[in-house]
């Protein structure tokens, strides 16, 4: 193993803590729809996701290279203190949004933290602006749109293909498909998000002189990052799972299958070309697309609006916290110690606050007080402008493609109802 100083050791531990928060923050991306439709029990779902995240961490290092040698200029005088401060900003934002049950981007929290700390400590010349625009900002805007449109089309196609099939039979088949597609999303998440921590640790080793610039992540870095994100995934970010699975739209098994398949394809494609994509943006866009694509589906745009606001705030908020941490850490050992103590205190305070209203595998599918009005969204919240416009572009499948509504008689019961009606008339 490379020669590692105490400060670099602190950075590595902090990076693994961020990776852990990334795991439970993003579990919802792969498993929220699977859990909400009952395709898998909560514990089984997060265990499967954890294993596949670990496997995915070993499949590619393209995103890790983007982090370690793309966004930040390695030769610009970046010190380990700067990376430490960037991680602090990312961790605090991750925990705050987790407490709020908000599916924000761990990836953008990390990017914002690193950029904010670098700007405060070194200056603008140390940030590769063209890489940030091409591989972070543009994918951030395009990813939810691409995944959402793909999910709309996949949902419509799914219902149209199965319109003449028995709903109960197809529902079982779609649940099986959901499990497969959820596994693919988990694997894709490992190939993308686990690598971000690998890239940060590699950057810390380069800035500390333990690795040569441009080096690939060592095997021990890959393994430790994979284990950290897998452990976080297994613990489950139940608050965000509830929002993703129940708060955006009411998901049926065909929608879950379509949304997860669209998301997995988008994430895997981005990992292949080295885009540091937000899996949260992709999966949230796919879930919203599945709501638009189903006849009678209602996207709760109030929840979606909160998410978009959170996405817009992620980069600057994490950057501001990281910038303040960098200015303090630059003061020397006492500054680094102060930042570390503040981080532990803030994390403890957030955790204690979360215990006042716990959400876990036993109540993740229960609608919380804030989501109660959404339980009857089909009655209280009319389709929004976007939903109406998208449904007007291509007519949805006939009613027989979906399960009968509560106020519509099923085929099996229709003759009996007609007979009862005839008797009453006579």
């Amino acid at each position: 193993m490379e020669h590692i100083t105490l400060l670099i050791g602190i950075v590595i531990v902090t990076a693994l803590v961020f990776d852990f928060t990334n795991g439970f923050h993003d579990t919802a991306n792969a498993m929220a729809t699977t859990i909400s439709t009952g395709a898998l029990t909560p514990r089984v779902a997060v265990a499967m996701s954890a294993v596949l995240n670990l496997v995915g961490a070993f499949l590619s290092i393209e995103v890790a290279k983007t982090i370690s040698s793309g966004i930040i200029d390695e030769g610009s005088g970046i010190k380990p203190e700067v990376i430490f401060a960037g991680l602090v900003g990312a961790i605090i934002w991750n925990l705050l949004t987790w407490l709020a049950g908000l599916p924000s981007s761990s990836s953008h929290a990390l990017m914002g933290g690193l950029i904010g700390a670098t700007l405060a400590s070194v200056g603008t010349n140390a940030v590769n602006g063209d890489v940030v625009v091409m591989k972070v900002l543009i994918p951030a805007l395009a990813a939810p749109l691409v995944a959402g449109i793909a999910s709309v089309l996949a949902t419509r196609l799914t219902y149209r293909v199965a319109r003449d099939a028995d709903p109960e039979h197809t529902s079982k088949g779609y649940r099986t498909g959901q499990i497969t597609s959820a596994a693919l999303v988990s694997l894709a998440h490992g190939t993308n998000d686990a690598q971000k921590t690998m890239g940060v640790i590699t950057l810390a080793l380069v800035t500390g002189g333990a690795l040569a610039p441009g080096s690939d992540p060592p095997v021990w870095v890959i393994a430790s990052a994979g284990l950290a994100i897998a452990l976080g995934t297994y613990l489950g970010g139940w608050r965000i799972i509830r929002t993703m699975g129940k708060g955006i739209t009411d998901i049926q098994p065909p929608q879950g299958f379509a949304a997860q398949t669209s998301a997995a394809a988008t994430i895997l494609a981005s990992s292949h070309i080295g885009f540091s994509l937000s899996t949260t943006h992709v999966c949230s866009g796919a879930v919203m697309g599945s709501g638009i694509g189903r006849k009678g589906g209602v996207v709760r745009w109030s929840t979606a609006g909160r998410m978009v606001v959170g996405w817009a705030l992620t980069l600057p908020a994490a950057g501001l916290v990281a910038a303040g941490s960098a200015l303090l850490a630059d003061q020397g050992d006492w500054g680094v110690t102060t930042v570390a103590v503040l981080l532990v205190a803030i994390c403890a305070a957030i955790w204690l606050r979360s215990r006042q209203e716990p959400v876990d595998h036993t109540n993740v599918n229960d609608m919380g007080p804030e989501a109660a009005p959404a339980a009857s969204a089909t009655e209280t919240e009319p389709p929004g402008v976007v939903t109406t416009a998208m449904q007007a572009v291509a007519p949805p499948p006939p009613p027989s493609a979906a399960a009968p509504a509560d106020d519509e008689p099923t085929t099996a019961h229709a003759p009996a109802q007609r007979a009862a009606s005839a008797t009453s008339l006579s």
Side-chain angles (χ1 to χ4, degrees):
M1 184 180 294
E2 298 80 2
H3 176 68
I4 297 176
T5 65
L6 176 60
L7 180 57
I8 296 178
I10 293 174
V11 173
I12 292 172
V13 171
T14 308
L16 293 177
V17 171
F18 165 77
D19 205 24
F20 174 80
T21 67
N22 190 351
F24 71 72
H25 200 279
D26 286 3
T27 307
N29 296 340
M31 291 301 168
T33 60
T34 304
I35 292 172
S36 68
T37 61
L40 285 175
T41 61
R43 278 299 185 192
V44 172
V46 297
M48 183 181 79
S49 183
V51 171
L52 291 170
N53 265 281
L54 177 59
V55 173
F58 288 88
L59 297 183
S60 172
I61 58 171
E62 292 303 317
V63 175
K65 290 180 180 178
T66 298
I67 300 295
S68 64
S69 59
I71 294 175
I72 306 299
D73 184 358
E74 296 172 327
S76 60
I78 297 294
K79 297 182 293 184
E81 292 91 336
V82 175
I83 302 172
F84 173 62
L87 289 166
V88 169
I91 291 171
I92 291 175
W93 182 253
N94 264 1
L95 292 179
L96 286 174
T97 50
W98 163 76
L99 181 64
L102 190 65
S104 70
S105 171
S106 296
S107 304
H108 287 185
L110 178 59
M111 306 297 175
L114 289 175
I115 293 170
T118 301
L119 290 175
S121 181
V122 181
T124 57
N125 293 333
V127 177
N128 296 323
D130 55 340
V131 176
V132 173
V133 172
M134 294 300 299
K135 291 201 171 185
V136 179
L137 296 182
I138 291 179
L141 297 174
L145 294 176
V146 171
I149 292 171
S151 183
V152 169
L153 298 176
T155 301
R156 291 189 186 282
L157 177 63
T158 297
Y159 276 110
R160 191 171 295 278
V161 168
R163 64 182 180 273
D164 296 324
D166 175 49
E168 183 177 351
H169 178 73
T170 56
S171 178
K172 293 179 181 178
Y174 281 127
R175 284 191 169 90
T176 302
Q178 270 192 281
I179 295 172
T180 303
S181 57
L184 190 58
V185 172
S186 296
L187 190 67
H189 186 264
T191 67
N192 201 285
D193 276 40
Q195 292 186 51
K196 292 159 188 170
T197 299
M198 298 177 206
V200 170
I201 295 176
T202 303
L203 180 60
L205 293 172
V206 170
T207 59
L211 279 181
S215 298
D216 290 342
V219 174
W220 68 266
V221 172
I222 297 174
S224 58
L227 288 171
I229 201 169
L231 180 59
T233 300
Y234 179 71
L235 290 183
W238 304 111
R239 294 171 181 273
I240 300 176
I241 290 175
R242 173 185 282 180
T243 299
M244 188 85 82
K246 295 291 186 180
I248 300 175
T249 186
D250 296 316
I251 298 177
Q252 295 179 353
Q255 291 171 272
F257 171 72
Q260 289 173 318
T261 303
S262 303
T266 305
I267 296 169
L268 286 172
S270 70
S271 295
H272 178 69
I273 59 181
F275 280 167
S276 182
L277 197 66
S278 167
T279 55
T280 301
H281 290 189
V282 172
C283 294
S284 299
V287 170
M288 284 187 272
S290 72
I292 295 171
R294 177 172 69 90
K295 181 184 179 181
V298 174
V299 175
R300 298 178 183 113
W301 294 109
S302 57
T303 301
R306 289 177 54 235
M307 290 167 49
V308 172
V309 170
W311 295 352
L313 290 176
T314 297
L315 277 167
L320 285 173
V321 174
S325 301
L327 293 175
L328 187 56
D330 280 342
Q331 305 306 310
D333 292 344
W334 71 268
V336 173
T337 303
T338 302
V339 172
V341 170
L342 288 173
L343 174 62
V344 172
I346 292 172
C347 291
I350 293 173
W351 184 82
L352 291 174
R353 175 64 182 85
S354 73
R355 294 303 85 199
Q356 296 179 15
E357 297 175 5
V359 180
D360 56 27
H361 68 283
T362 63
N363 64 353
V364 65
N365 280 333
D366 298 339
M367 303 298 281
E370 72 284 353
S376 58
T378 53
E379 293 83 14
T380 62
E381 184 172 343
V385 174
V386 178
T387 302
T388 304
M390 289 297 296
Q391 290 179 343
V393 173
S400 60
D406 293 339
D407 58 348
E408 296 176 353
T410 61
T411 303
H413 295 159
Q417 292 182 355
R418 286 196 295 269
S421 176
T423 302
S424 63
L425 290 174
S426 64

Short mmCIF file of all heavy atoms in Angstrom, two decimals, residues 62-67 71 105-108 110-111 114 131-132 134-140 143 191-193 195-197 267 269-279 281-282:
data_model
loop_
_atom_site.label_atom_id
_atom_site.label_comp_id
_atom_site.label_asym_id
_atom_site.label_seq_id
_atom_site.Cartn_x
_atom_site.Cartn_y
_atom_site.Cartn_z
N GLU A 62 -14.08 4.36 -15.40
CA GLU A 62 -14.13 5.56 -16.23
C GLU A 62 -14.60 6.78 -15.45
O GLU A 62 -14.07 7.89 -15.59
CB GLU A 62 -15.04 5.32 -17.44
CG GLU A 62 -14.49 4.32 -18.44
CD GLU A 62 -13.12 4.71 -18.96
OE1 GLU A 62 -12.91 5.90 -19.27
OE2 GLU A 62 -12.24 3.83 -19.04
N VAL A 63 -15.65 6.61 -14.62
CA VAL A 63 -16.16 7.73 -13.83
C VAL A 63 -15.13 8.15 -12.78
O VAL A 63 -14.96 9.33 -12.48
CB VAL A 63 -17.50 7.37 -13.18
CG1 VAL A 63 -17.98 8.49 -12.25
CG2 VAL A 63 -18.56 7.12 -14.25
N ALA A 64 -14.43 7.18 -12.20
CA ALA A 64 -13.39 7.50 -11.22
C ALA A 64 -12.31 8.38 -11.83
O ALA A 64 -11.80 9.31 -11.19
CB ALA A 64 -12.77 6.20 -10.68
N LYS A 65 -11.97 8.13 -13.10
CA LYS A 65 -10.98 8.96 -13.77
C LYS A 65 -11.49 10.39 -13.96
O LYS A 65 -10.73 11.35 -13.85
CB LYS A 65 -10.63 8.35 -15.13
CG LYS A 65 -9.82 7.06 -15.05
CD LYS A 65 -9.53 6.54 -16.45
CE LYS A 65 -8.72 5.26 -16.41
NZ LYS A 65 -8.47 4.73 -17.78
N THR A 66 -12.79 10.51 -14.25
CA THR A 66 -13.37 11.85 -14.41
C THR A 66 -13.24 12.65 -13.13
O THR A 66 -12.94 13.84 -13.13
CB THR A 66 -14.86 11.74 -14.81
OG1 THR A 66 -14.95 11.08 -16.07
CG2 THR A 66 -15.50 13.12 -14.91
N ILE A 67 -13.45 11.99 -11.98
CA ILE A 67 -13.36 12.68 -10.69
C ILE A 67 -11.92 12.99 -10.33
O ILE A 67 -11.58 14.11 -9.92
CB ILE A 67 -13.99 11.82 -9.58
CG1 ILE A 67 -15.47 11.54 -9.89
CG2 ILE A 67 -13.86 12.51 -8.23
CD1 ILE A 67 -16.35 12.75 -9.90
N ILE A 71 -12.30 16.97 -13.25
CA ILE A 71 -12.93 18.20 -12.75
C ILE A 71 -11.91 19.13 -12.10
O ILE A 71 -11.92 20.33 -12.32
CB ILE A 71 -14.06 17.83 -11.76
CG1 ILE A 71 -15.17 17.10 -12.51
CG2 ILE A 71 -14.61 19.07 -11.08
CD1 ILE A 71 -16.27 16.61 -11.62
N SER A 105 -29.16 14.66 -5.37
CA SER A 105 -28.05 13.95 -5.99
C SER A 105 -26.81 13.94 -5.10
O SER A 105 -26.22 14.99 -4.82
CB SER A 105 -27.70 14.61 -7.33
OG SER A 105 -26.51 14.08 -7.85
N SER A 106 -26.39 12.75 -4.68
CA SER A 106 -25.13 12.62 -3.96
C SER A 106 -23.96 12.99 -4.85
O SER A 106 -22.96 13.56 -4.39
CB SER A 106 -24.96 11.18 -3.45
OG SER A 106 -25.95 10.84 -2.52
N SER A 107 -24.09 12.68 -6.13
CA SER A 107 -23.01 13.00 -7.08
C SER A 107 -22.79 14.51 -7.15
O SER A 107 -21.65 14.99 -7.08
CB SER A 107 -23.38 12.48 -8.47
OG SER A 107 -23.65 11.11 -8.43
N HIS A 108 -23.87 15.26 -7.27
CA HIS A 108 -23.73 16.71 -7.38
C HIS A 108 -23.31 17.33 -6.05
O HIS A 108 -22.65 18.38 -6.03
CB HIS A 108 -25.03 17.32 -7.87
CG HIS A 108 -25.27 17.04 -9.32
ND1 HIS A 108 -26.33 17.57 -10.02
CD2 HIS A 108 -24.59 16.27 -10.21
CE1 HIS A 108 -26.29 17.15 -11.27
NE2 HIS A 108 -25.23 16.36 -11.40
N LEU A 110 -21.16 15.93 -4.10
CA LEU A 110 -19.71 15.73 -4.12
C LEU A 110 -19.05 16.72 -5.06
O LEU A 110 -18.02 17.34 -4.72
CB LEU A 110 -19.40 14.30 -4.54
CG LEU A 110 -17.92 13.93 -4.65
CD1 LEU A 110 -17.20 14.14 -3.33
CD2 LEU A 110 -17.77 12.49 -5.14
N MET A 111 -19.61 16.88 -6.25
CA MET A 111 -19.04 17.83 -7.21
C MET A 111 -19.05 19.25 -6.63
O MET A 111 -18.05 19.97 -6.71
CB MET A 111 -19.84 17.85 -8.52
CG MET A 111 -20.04 16.52 -9.16
SD MET A 111 -18.50 15.76 -9.66
CE MET A 111 -19.15 14.19 -10.21
N LEU A 114 -16.37 19.61 -3.87
CA LEU A 114 -15.01 19.70 -4.38
C LEU A 114 -14.75 21.04 -5.09
O LEU A 114 -13.71 21.67 -4.90
CB LEU A 114 -14.74 18.55 -5.35
CG LEU A 114 -14.60 17.15 -4.75
CD1 LEU A 114 -14.46 16.12 -5.84
CD2 LEU A 114 -13.42 17.08 -3.79
N VAL A 131 -14.86 20.68 -18.40
CA VAL A 131 -15.23 19.34 -17.97
C VAL A 131 -16.49 19.39 -17.11
O VAL A 131 -17.39 18.54 -17.23
CB VAL A 131 -14.07 18.67 -17.20
CG1 VAL A 131 -14.50 17.30 -16.67
CG2 VAL A 131 -12.85 18.54 -18.09
N VAL A 132 -16.57 20.38 -16.22
CA VAL A 132 -17.76 20.53 -15.38
C VAL A 132 -19.00 20.71 -16.23
O VAL A 132 -20.06 20.10 -15.98
CB VAL A 132 -17.59 21.73 -14.41
CG1 VAL A 132 -18.88 21.99 -13.65
CG2 VAL A 132 -16.45 21.48 -13.44
N MET A 134 -19.43 19.93 -19.57
CA MET A 134 -19.71 18.83 -20.49
C MET A 134 -20.06 17.53 -19.79
O MET A 134 -20.90 16.77 -20.28
CB MET A 134 -18.50 18.60 -21.41
CG MET A 134 -18.21 19.76 -22.35
SD MET A 134 -19.61 20.11 -23.46
CE MET A 134 -19.73 18.55 -24.34
N LYS A 135 -19.42 17.26 -18.64
CA LYS A 135 -19.61 15.95 -18.01
C LYS A 135 -20.41 16.00 -16.71
O LYS A 135 -20.66 14.96 -16.11
CB LYS A 135 -18.26 15.29 -17.76
CG LYS A 135 -17.57 14.88 -19.05
CD LYS A 135 -16.51 13.82 -18.80
CE LYS A 135 -15.98 13.26 -20.10
NZ LYS A 135 -15.04 12.14 -19.90
N VAL A 136 -20.82 17.19 -16.27
CA VAL A 136 -21.62 17.29 -15.05
C VAL A 136 -22.91 18.06 -15.30
O VAL A 136 -24.01 17.51 -15.11
CB VAL A 136 -20.81 17.97 -13.91
CG1 VAL A 136 -21.69 18.08 -12.66
CG2 VAL A 136 -19.55 17.18 -13.60
N LEU A 137 -22.81 19.32 -15.75
CA LEU A 137 -24.01 20.15 -15.87
C LEU A 137 -24.93 19.71 -17.01
O LEU A 137 -26.15 19.59 -16.81
CB LEU A 137 -23.59 21.62 -16.06
CG LEU A 137 -22.84 22.25 -14.89
CD1 LEU A 137 -22.53 23.71 -15.18
CD2 LEU A 137 -23.64 22.12 -13.59
N ILE A 138 -24.37 19.48 -18.18
CA ILE A 138 -25.22 19.05 -19.30
C ILE A 138 -25.87 17.70 -19.02
O ILE A 138 -27.10 17.55 -19.23
CB ILE A 138 -24.41 19.03 -20.61
CG1 ILE A 138 -24.07 20.47 -21.03
CG2 ILE A 138 -25.19 18.33 -21.73
CD1 ILE A 138 -23.24 20.57 -22.30
N PRO A 139 -25.13 16.69 -18.54
CA PRO A 139 -25.81 15.44 -18.18
C PRO A 139 -26.87 15.64 -17.08
O PRO A 139 -27.88 14.94 -17.08
CB PRO A 139 -24.66 14.56 -17.68
CG PRO A 139 -23.46 15.07 -18.38
CD PRO A 139 -23.66 16.55 -18.46
N ALA A 140 -26.64 16.59 -16.17
CA ALA A 140 -27.62 16.82 -15.10
C ALA A 140 -28.95 17.30 -15.67
O ALA A 140 -30.02 16.94 -15.17
CB ALA A 140 -27.08 17.85 -14.12
N ALA A 143 -30.19 14.12 -18.33
CA ALA A 143 -30.47 12.78 -17.82
C ALA A 143 -31.93 12.56 -17.43
O ALA A 143 -32.55 11.58 -17.86
CB ALA A 143 -29.54 12.47 -16.65
N THR A 191 -21.49 0.81 -10.82
CA THR A 191 -20.52 1.20 -11.84
C THR A 191 -20.37 2.71 -11.93
O THR A 191 -19.40 3.20 -12.53
CB THR A 191 -20.93 0.68 -13.24
OG1 THR A 191 -22.13 1.35 -13.66
CG2 THR A 191 -21.17 -0.81 -13.22
N ASN A 192 -21.29 3.48 -11.36
CA ASN A 192 -21.24 4.93 -11.47
C ASN A 192 -20.91 5.60 -10.15
O ASN A 192 -19.90 6.28 -10.01
CB ASN A 192 -22.58 5.45 -12.02
CG ASN A 192 -22.46 6.83 -12.63
OD1 ASN A 192 -22.35 7.82 -11.93
ND2 ASN A 192 -22.49 6.90 -13.95
N ASP A 193 -21.73 5.37 -9.12
CA ASP A 193 -21.57 6.13 -7.88
C ASP A 193 -20.42 5.64 -7.01
O ASP A 193 -19.74 6.44 -6.37
CB ASP A 193 -22.87 6.10 -7.08
CG ASP A 193 -23.83 7.18 -7.55
OD1 ASP A 193 -23.92 7.38 -8.78
OD2 ASP A 193 -24.49 7.82 -6.71
N GLN A 195 -17.68 4.62 -7.96
CA GLN A 195 -16.44 5.10 -8.55
C GLN A 195 -16.12 6.54 -8.16
O GLN A 195 -14.97 6.96 -8.22
CB GLN A 195 -16.54 5.02 -10.07
CG GLN A 195 -16.57 3.60 -10.59
CD GLN A 195 -16.53 3.59 -12.10
OE1 GLN A 195 -15.67 4.22 -12.70
NE2 GLN A 195 -17.45 2.89 -12.71
N LYS A 196 -17.14 7.30 -7.78
CA LYS A 196 -16.89 8.69 -7.42
C LYS A 196 -16.03 8.77 -6.16
O LYS A 196 -15.12 9.59 -6.07
CB LYS A 196 -18.22 9.41 -7.24
CG LYS A 196 -18.95 9.57 -8.56
CD LYS A 196 -20.42 9.81 -8.41
CE LYS A 196 -21.08 9.74 -9.79
NZ LYS A 196 -22.53 9.73 -9.75
N THR A 197 -16.30 7.88 -5.21
CA THR A 197 -15.46 7.84 -4.02
C THR A 197 -14.07 7.31 -4.36
O THR A 197 -13.06 7.79 -3.82
CB THR A 197 -16.10 6.97 -2.94
OG1 THR A 197 -17.36 7.55 -2.57
CG2 THR A 197 -15.23 6.88 -1.71
N ILE A 267 -28.16 4.91 -17.17
CA ILE A 267 -27.01 4.94 -16.27
C ILE A 267 -25.83 4.15 -16.85
O ILE A 267 -24.68 4.59 -16.83
CB ILE A 267 -27.39 4.38 -14.89
CG1 ILE A 267 -28.44 5.28 -14.22
CG2 ILE A 267 -26.16 4.27 -13.99
CD1 ILE A 267 -29.07 4.67 -12.99
N ALA A 269 -25.20 3.49 -19.96
CA ALA A 269 -24.63 4.20 -21.10
C ALA A 269 -23.71 5.34 -20.63
O ALA A 269 -22.64 5.55 -21.19
CB ALA A 269 -25.75 4.75 -21.98
N SER A 270 -24.13 6.06 -19.59
CA SER A 270 -23.31 7.17 -19.09
C SER A 270 -22.01 6.67 -18.45
O SER A 270 -20.97 7.30 -18.59
CB SER A 270 -24.11 8.00 -18.09
OG SER A 270 -24.30 7.28 -16.89
N SER A 271 -22.09 5.55 -17.74
CA SER A 271 -20.88 4.99 -17.14
C SER A 271 -19.87 4.58 -18.20
O SER A 271 -18.66 4.74 -18.03
CB SER A 271 -21.24 3.79 -16.25
OG SER A 271 -22.03 4.17 -15.16
N HIS A 272 -20.38 4.06 -19.31
CA HIS A 272 -19.49 3.59 -20.38
C HIS A 272 -18.68 4.73 -20.99
O HIS A 272 -17.51 4.55 -21.35
CB HIS A 272 -20.32 2.90 -21.46
CG HIS A 272 -19.51 2.42 -22.63
ND1 HIS A 272 -18.61 1.37 -22.53
CD2 HIS A 272 -19.43 2.86 -23.91
CE1 HIS A 272 -18.03 1.19 -23.70
NE2 HIS A 272 -18.51 2.08 -24.55
N ILE A 273 -19.29 5.93 -21.08
CA ILE A 273 -18.59 7.05 -21.70
C ILE A 273 -17.98 8.00 -20.67
O ILE A 273 -17.43 9.04 -21.03
CB ILE A 273 -19.53 7.83 -22.65
CG1 ILE A 273 -20.75 8.36 -21.89
CG2 ILE A 273 -19.96 6.97 -23.80
CD1 ILE A 273 -21.72 9.13 -22.78
N GLY A 274 -18.09 7.65 -19.36
CA GLY A 274 -17.42 8.43 -18.34
C GLY A 274 -18.18 9.64 -17.84
O GLY A 274 -17.60 10.49 -17.18
N PHE A 275 -19.47 9.75 -18.11
CA PHE A 275 -20.26 10.85 -17.57
C PHE A 275 -20.52 10.60 -16.09
O PHE A 275 -20.98 9.52 -15.70
CB PHE A 275 -21.60 10.98 -18.29
CG PHE A 275 -21.51 11.70 -19.62
CD1 PHE A 275 -22.57 11.67 -20.51
CD2 PHE A 275 -20.37 12.39 -19.97
CE1 PHE A 275 -22.49 12.33 -21.72
CE2 PHE A 275 -20.28 13.06 -21.18
CZ PHE A 275 -21.35 13.02 -22.05
N SER A 276 -20.23 11.61 -15.26
CA SER A 276 -20.50 11.49 -13.83
C SER A 276 -21.97 11.84 -13.60
O SER A 276 -22.32 12.92 -13.15
CB SER A 276 -19.59 12.43 -13.03
OG SER A 276 -19.82 12.27 -11.66
N LEU A 277 -22.82 10.89 -13.92
CA LEU A 277 -24.26 11.13 -13.96
C LEU A 277 -24.88 11.00 -12.58
O LEU A 277 -24.42 10.23 -11.74
CB LEU A 277 -24.89 10.10 -14.89
CG LEU A 277 -26.29 10.37 -15.41
CD1 LEU A 277 -26.28 11.58 -16.32
CD2 LEU A 277 -26.78 9.15 -16.17
N SER A 278 -25.93 11.77 -12.34
CA SER A 278 -26.69 11.61 -11.11
C SER A 278 -27.72 10.51 -11.30
O SER A 278 -28.68 10.67 -12.06
CB SER A 278 -27.40 12.92 -10.75
OG SER A 278 -28.36 12.69 -9.74
N THR A 279 -27.53 9.39 -10.61
CA THR A 279 -28.51 8.31 -10.70
C THR A 279 -29.85 8.74 -10.12
O THR A 279 -30.91 8.25 -10.52
CB THR A 279 -28.00 7.06 -9.97
OG1 THR A 279 -27.66 7.40 -8.62
CG2 THR A 279 -26.77 6.50 -10.66
N HIS A 281 -31.24 11.75 -10.42
CA HIS A 281 -31.94 12.48 -11.47
C HIS A 281 -32.54 11.50 -12.49
O HIS A 281 -33.69 11.66 -12.93
CB HIS A 281 -30.99 13.43 -12.19
CG HIS A 281 -30.57 14.60 -11.36
ND1 HIS A 281 -29.87 15.67 -11.88
CD2 HIS A 281 -30.76 14.88 -10.05
CE1 HIS A 281 -29.63 16.55 -10.92
NE2 HIS A 281 -30.16 16.09 -9.80
N VAL A 282 -31.76 10.51 -12.86
CA VAL A 282 -32.22 9.54 -13.85
C VAL A 282 -33.44 8.77 -13.33
O VAL A 282 -34.48 8.67 -14.01
CB VAL A 282 -31.09 8.56 -14.20
CG1 VAL A 282 -31.62 7.42 -15.08
CG2 VAL A 282 -29.97 9.28 -14.92
#
